[in-house]
Amino acid sequence: METQKKNNNSKILYISLSAAALLVIVLSVLYYMQNRELTEIVDGLTEEKNILTQEYQNLMFNFDSLQSDNDTLNYMLEMERQRIANLVEELKTIRATNTAKIREYQRELTTLRGVLRSYIIQIDSLNTINQELTRENIEHRRRYSQIQTSVRQLEATRATLEQKVTIASRLDVINMMAEGLNPSGRSTNRSSRTNRIKVCFTILRNVTAPVGMKEIYLRIERPDGQLLMHSRDDVFTHENTQINFSAKRAVEYGGEELDVCIFYNADVGELISGEYTADIFADGFHIGSHTFSLR
């Protein structure tokens, strides 16, 4: 009897250890696949930054190759060279995953391309008699065309990589709804009886999104386009811009589905009849929108 009991205990222990080992293997495979995808994204962003740095250096070379007999024009060219040199040094210090900064440097590169073109035209008009300078200007135009092609390719790469980063980390919501509540807490669709607006939704599961405490922001626009809010100081950052919000709520997100409700307390006479729009924001992204009506 004692031997049989020991055998049963051994079988249970063996099954438990096997199940634990299988779970560890599954989790390891999932972690490896997720880590490999994120590594590929970061590598792609690093390559994008390197290409952008090279484009700035090529642009500096083009400015260095410009020559003129006009002292004022030469001084302006030197100022632009120094400006590009400073941008190259700044670009080396930013992280490749800082896509907002990379986008700023991309726009600056486009501006400098226009500046380069204007100087080429000026030098060409000031030195039309000099055949050698004419030949060099043709070469500058060829290089400018190469810059345009490279910038278009870089922009396409950046757009693709940004889309991957957004898909991998942005939260998404479903089942979004909104309704008015009267002072008793009951649902109502009459604007005159509504003193609170309730907006509810479900945040979807996302294992690649950062976990922890998150601020969820709610913006509600009246039918006349006016934002419902209590203070001009109630702001958050969206696309590098500070914008106002109607209400917010802090939630702890662990990567799994999460039901959330946010309430806006309306001031007396603030609500009017018509169609309202409720928008949800988190982590700097617009993640949900819903329209509802009060009469």
Side-chain angles (χ1 to χ4, degrees):
M1 184 69 178
E2 185 65 27
T3 300
Q4 183 178 359
K5 184 177 181 181
K6 289 182 178 180
N7 288 338
N8 290 338
N9 290 337
S10 297
K11 289 181 180 179
I12 294 173
L13 178 60
Y14 175 78
I15 292 173
S16 299
L17 291 175
S18 297
L22 179 60
L23 179 60
V24 168
I25 292 173
V26 171
L27 291 176
S28 297
V29 170
L30 291 175
Y31 174 79
Y32 171 78
M33 294 177 63
Q34 175 185 338
N35 188 63
R36 184 176 63 179
E37 181 178 354
L38 293 178
T39 299
E40 290 176 355
I41 293 175
V42 172
D43 289 344
L45 291 172
T46 301
E47 180 182 0
E48 178 185 356
K49 176 187 172 182
N50 293 337
I51 293 174
L52 184 58
T53 302
Q54 183 62 48
E55 291 300 330
Y56 267 103
Q57 292 172 342
N58 290 341
L59 188 63
M60 184 185 299
F61 173 80
N62 282 299
F63 269 99
D64 287 339
S65 64
L66 296 179
Q67 299 294 331
S68 172
D69 295 330
N70 187 294
D71 292 338
T72 300
L73 189 56
N74 284 335
Y75 174 78
M76 295 173 65
L77 286 171
E78 182 58 33
M79 295 293 291
E80 292 297 337
R81 294 186 190 105
Q82 187 58 49
R83 178 186 176 190
I84 297 171
N86 292 338
L87 288 172
V88 171
E89 291 302 315
E90 292 174 8
L91 185 56
K92 292 178 180 178
T93 63
I94 68 171
R95 298 178 60 183
T97 54
N98 190 341
T99 56
K101 271 292 185 182
I102 294 295
R103 190 181 301 112
E104 290 182 11
Y105 283 105
Q106 177 62 51
R107 289 195 294 265
E108 186 66 18
L109 179 61
T110 301
T111 300
L112 288 170
R113 286 167 44 217
V115 173
L116 172 62
R117 184 176 183 179
S118 68
Y119 282 131
I120 291 175
I121 294 173
Q122 290 181 60
I123 292 174
D124 183 55
S125 64
L126 291 172
N127 300 277
T128 54
I129 300 176
N130 190 316
Q131 295 301 317
E132 179 62 21
L133 186 55
T134 300
R135 185 193 64 80
E136 290 181 3
N137 282 329
I138 293 174
E139 179 63 17
H140 290 321
R141 293 189 182 97
R142 185 187 67 81
R143 290 175 179 173
Y144 176 71
S145 179
Q146 290 178 339
I147 292 173
Q148 285 185 310
T149 301
S150 298
V151 168
R152 285 195 293 267
Q153 293 173 347
L154 182 61
E155 180 64 23
T157 301
R158 181 195 60 77
T160 300
L161 292 175
E162 281 191 345
Q163 184 180 20
K164 289 183 179 180
V165 172
T166 300
I167 292 173
S169 62
R170 188 184 68 184
L171 298 179
D172 288 307
V173 301
I174 59 172
N175 301 331
M176 191 170 174
M177 59 82 65
E179 62 179 349
L181 300 178
N182 63 21
S184 300
R186 295 180 179 178
S187 176
T188 178
N189 62 356
R190 292 183 175 273
S191 60
S192 59
R193 297 180 181 178
T194 299
N195 73 329
R196 300 179 79 194
I197 295 178
K198 175 183 177 182
V199 179
C200 296
F201 50 89
T202 299
I203 300 177
L204 290 175
R205 179 177 182 270
N206 189 335
V207 297
T208 62
V211 298
M213 296 302 298
K214 293 184 180 294
E215 292 284 358
I216 310 297
Y217 296 94
L218 169 65
R219 283 171 55 92
I220 303 176
E221 286 191 2
R222 294 195 324 188
D224 59 2
Q226 180 177 324
L227 179 69
L228 300 182
M229 62 179 177
H230 297 301
S231 171
R232 291 286 181 184
D233 295 329
D234 291 339
V235 297
F236 67 101
T237 301
H238 175 60
E239 294 182 351
N240 300 318
T241 302
Q242 294 288 302
I243 61 176
N244 291 102
F245 62 86
S246 304
K248 69 176 182 177
R249 179 180 175 182
V251 299
E252 184 170 3
Y253 181 69
E256 300 298 328
E257 282 195 1
L258 180 65
D259 294 327
V260 180
C261 288
I262 304 179
F263 296 85
Y264 175 76
N265 296 319
D267 296 329
V268 176
E270 185 177 20
L271 302 180
I272 61 177
S273 299
E275 187 174 79
Y276 290 71
T277 300
D279 292 287
I280 301 298
F281 298 80
D283 296 333
F285 295 107
H286 178 223
I287 62 173
S289 184
H290 179 73
T291 59
F292 62 99
S293 297
L294 296 177
R295 60 187 179 88

